Amino acid sequence: MAETAAERAHPRGRRGLGILGAVRRAWDYPLFYGLLFLFGLMSLAWSLTAALINPLLPRRIAGPLGRQAIRTGFSLYLDTLRACGVLRTDLSALDSLKDDGGLLICPNHPSILDAVLLISRVPDLVCIAKAPVYDNLLFGGGARMAGYIRNDAPNSLVKMAAQRVRAGRQLLIFPEGTRTERAPVNPLKGGFALIAKTAGVPVQTVFIEANTNFLGKGWPLFRKPEFPLVYTVRLGRRFDPPTDVRELVGDVERHYRAEL
């Protein structure tokens, strides 16, 4: 940042600004770790609550209630990050998907935060969860109550996912299969295209762009990033239900690489 005339004329002013900057940077650390602790605490509280009440509720009530609770919790957490000045987002492009019915929502996957961003904005979104998440104390109870689909049984996964989207639900699935290892995207897996073909539903591509690699592949959980974190989400092309799985995978991957 360029110095002002007043700063050049008064070295004490420059020192004062330097001290304020150092204090602000030092404050970032307790703020960062405090916000991580808050996320863990919120997740654990809901996971334990969901594990207790899920067996007592009919499935038609438990699923929507569980998804709404996760969406509300993620939304409140992101609002807290914004209020603390560590996060800026533009997720408004997702609002146009709310009334679109059965659909596969397929974003690129730069960070662990991607699912949090999308779930916070799209109502009643169904997800595919990795087995360790399903079995995790922090998230498992909530994932099971929400009716998220466990990913360690490919045949049943495709069948269950197709049933959900045929019933009018929107399914969040990351075609890369894991977080991006080499920009702009990893080679895509075929699962999303197989689900789209089986269910006969379109594939909506979504692009997540950020100013940071925070919680990307290889980023340690407790490594503090530079603030603010800035995330922008925009919609890409919507692909019609496929007749050829491999063709759709190739078309979507080329679209990602062209747009990112």
Side-chain angles (χ1 to χ4, degrees), residues 102-179:
L103 185 68
L104 263 63
I105 298 177
C106 295
N108 60 312
H109 198 7
S111 165
I112 291 175
L113 280 179
D114 302 334
V116 176
L117 295 171
L118 270 72
I119 291 171
S120 75
R121 194 79 180 201
V122 181
D124 208 28
L125 193 61
V126 176
C127 300
I128 294 175
K130 293 184 177 181
V133 172
Y134 231 82
D135 298 332
N136 191 295
L137 183 64
L138 287 178
F139 307 112
R144 290 189 292 273
M145 181 170 173
Y148 290 172
I149 302 166
R150 191 180 175 116
N151 79 337
D152 57 352
N155 291 333
S156 61
L157 183 156
V158 171
K159 182 179 178 181
M160 292 173 65
Q163 288 174 343
R164 304 290 173 80
V165 291
R166 273 199 298 260
R169 305 230 182 275
Q170 295 182 345
L171 177 73
L172 173 63
I173 181 170
F174 295 101
E176 293 174 83
T178 187
R179 284 167 289 165

Side-chain angles (χ1 to χ4, degrees), residues 92 200 207 213:
S92 57
F207 302 114
N213 291 322

Side-chain angles (χ1 to χ4, degrees), residues 41-65:
L41 187 63
M42 291 173 64
S43 299
L44 179 62
W46 174 243
S47 182
L48 296 178
T49 302
L52 289 174
I53 65 174
N54 187 31
L56 306 177
L57 298 173
R59 186 70 252 164
R60 60 185 175 80
I61 295 176
L65 177 61

